[in-house]
Amino acid sequence: EVQLVESGGGTVQAGGSLRLSCEASGFSFDDHAIAWFRQTPGRKEREGIACISSWDGRAYYSDSVRGRFTISSDNAKNTFYLDMTNLKSADTAVYYCAADGTGLNFLTRPDGPDYLGQGTQVTVFS
């Protein structure tokens, strides 16, 4: 059974930093892509913001976070991370970690990820 458990959310002042963690089980990072999505208040759909593809090992980012957020993984700990810097009020959202069995970048795939965590709240205040 695949499980994804996020931690590290909280409240931070604009310009600050935060690290989210996702403890994963039930699948291998070698053949699954891993990613972070978020859902902002009032937005109907989740936004895919960062992904590591198991096919090419590359990291992919949405335009909204590129240059400020970094996705990484620790395969030995079955955990992946999202380091967020220079946070803005627009980054306030529920953040979800996700995994997908295709191994490909799935940030913009219409049918969404195979697996999704429960979410953790990030609030950025000015």
Side-chain angles (χ1 to χ4, degrees):
E1 180 187 3
V2 172
Q3 288 192 328
L4 297 164
V5 180
E6 302 94 341
S7 61
T11 300
V12 63
Q13 191 169 17
S17 301
L18 206 59
R19 168 177 260 204
L20 304 182
S21 300
C22 180
E23 188 172 340
S25 60
F27 67 95
S28 170
F29 291 5
D30 291 338
D31 57 18
H32 280 66
I34 52 178
W36 290 92
F37 286 69
R38 68 184 182 185
Q39 187 153 20
T40 54
R43 180 170 176 159
K44 184 178 179 180
E45 296 178 348
R46 291 187 199 94
E47 176 191 14
I49 57 173
C51 177
I52 296 178
S53 164
S54 62
W55 276 80
D56 57 15
R58 289 180 56 190
Y60 296 84
Y61 297 95
S62 66
D63 290 342
S64 60
V65 306
R66 186 178 294 110
R68 299 187 299 122
F69 292 9
T70 302
I71 184 172
S72 62
S73 66
D74 185 335
N75 290 18
K77 295 182 178 180
N78 291 324
T79 300
F80 58 103
Y81 308 95
L82 185 69
D83 287 293
M84 305 183 292
T85 64
N86 191 21
L87 282 160
K88 306 174 182 179
S89 56
D91 296 317
T92 294
V94 178
Y95 284 73
Y96 301 86
C97 59
D100 193 83
T102 64
L104 301 171
N105 173 18
F106 60 104
L107 293 181
T108 58
R109 204 174 72 193
D111 58 344
D114 289 341
Y115 308 105
L116 196 69
Q118 293 298 308
T120 186
Q121 177 70 45
V122 172
T123 302
V124 183
F125 66 94
S126 299

